[in-house]
């Protein structure tokens, strides 16, 4: 019988490792559901344990506090949806891709409730604000900046562009539309917003 090399076998967690990952995933869902339903300020570790049907020890073995738990899980979710930095060869295509991908993320019912709450809470909680900026906002802004630097290298943007303002322009109008004022986000809106962002970027020296 032909033997199988360990390198040919996909390594998967087994036994207690599988159980731990299963519990962590259950807790993760409970955290996001609780956060969306009650908000960060009212959410408690005890409420998460009730929703996840786990003991308090299951949470405190993983995170020392509510803030640490939320920041880690939110940052993991955000990292999985960072803007792609693949060079499309066109700033127009980069902006449109960013708009469409971000719209898809923001349409998730939990995301649409969690982000505004965390933004509001960050204004009152400097510790949470600093942690979310480092773990969530900074990587996202860095990804957008990478796209803008590619456009500069292609000669589509001037090298003296105000990079901070340019990064703001890339996403702020869409977040405001979808999370604050509402309104259509159809193909016509995507096309119009893409043109508006490109015009603003070109003027953003």
């Amino acid at each position: 019988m032909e033997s199988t090399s360990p390198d040919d076998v996909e390594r998967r967690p087994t036994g207690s490792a599988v159980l731990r990952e299963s519990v962590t995933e259950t807790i993760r869902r409970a955290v996001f559901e609780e956060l969306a339903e009650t908000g960060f300020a009212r959410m408690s570790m005890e409420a998460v344990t009730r929703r996840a049907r786990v003991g308090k020890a299951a949470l405190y073995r993983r995170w020392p506090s509510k803030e640490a738990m939320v920041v880690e899980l939110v940052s993991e979710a955000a990292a999985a949806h960072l803007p792609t930095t693949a060079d499309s060869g066109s700033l127009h295509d980069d902006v449109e891709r960013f708009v469409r991908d971000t719209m898809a993320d923001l349409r998730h019912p939990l995301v649409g409730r969690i982000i505004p709450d965390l933004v509001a809470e960050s204004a009152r909680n400097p510790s949470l604000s600093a942690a979310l900026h480092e773990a969530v906002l900074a990587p996202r802004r860095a990804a957008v900046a990478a796209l803008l630097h590619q456009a500069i290298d292609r000669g589509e943007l001037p090298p003296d562009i105000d990079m901070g303002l340019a990064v703001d322009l890339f996403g702020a109008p869409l977040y405001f539309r979808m999370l604050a004022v509402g309104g259509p986000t159809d193909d016509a809106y995507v096309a119009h917003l893409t043109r508006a962002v490109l015009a603003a970027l070109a003027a953003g020296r």
Side-chain angles (χ1 to χ4, degrees), residues 31-173:
V31 168
F32 287 134
E33 290 170 0
E34 192 70 23
L35 194 57
E37 184 174 312
T38 67
F40 180 86
R42 294 175 56 202
M43 188 181 81
S44 66
M45 299 285 269
E46 290 73 16
V48 172
T49 62
R50 288 194 298 270
R51 187 181 289 268
R53 297 182 179 179
V54 298
K56 290 183 181 179
L59 264 66
Y60 285 103
R61 277 197 302 266
R62 290 166 171 80
W63 306 282
S65 66
K66 177 178 74 172
E67 181 176 305
M69 177 179 67
V70 169
V71 169
E72 179 177 316
L73 295 181
V74 169
S75 65
E76 287 177 354
H81 295 276
L82 282 175
T84 177
T85 56
D87 191 343
S88 71
S90 162
L91 180 59
H92 175 280
D93 291 349
D94 286 340
V95 173
E96 182 174 333
R97 180 178 60 192
F98 174 89
V99 169
R100 291 190 182 279
D101 289 350
T102 303
M103 282 171 51
D105 292 338
L106 294 180
R107 284 194 178 111
H108 191 289
L110 295 185
V111 172
R113 295 162 68 184
I114 289 172
I115 290 180
D117 176 74
L118 289 179
V119 170
E121 186 62 31
S122 292
R124 300 184 289 266
N125 187 330
S127 174
L128 179 65
S129 176
L132 289 175
H133 186 278
E134 179 179 354
V136 179
L137 294 180
R140 190 168 187 84
R141 291 179 67 83
V144 173
L147 293 175
L148 292 168
H149 280 296
Q150 290 172 1
I152 292 171
D153 292 341
R154 291 193 301 262
E156 293 182 277
L157 289 174
D160 60 345
I161 190 172
D162 183 331
M163 187 58 66
L165 176 60
V167 172
D168 291 343
L169 292 169
F170 225 80

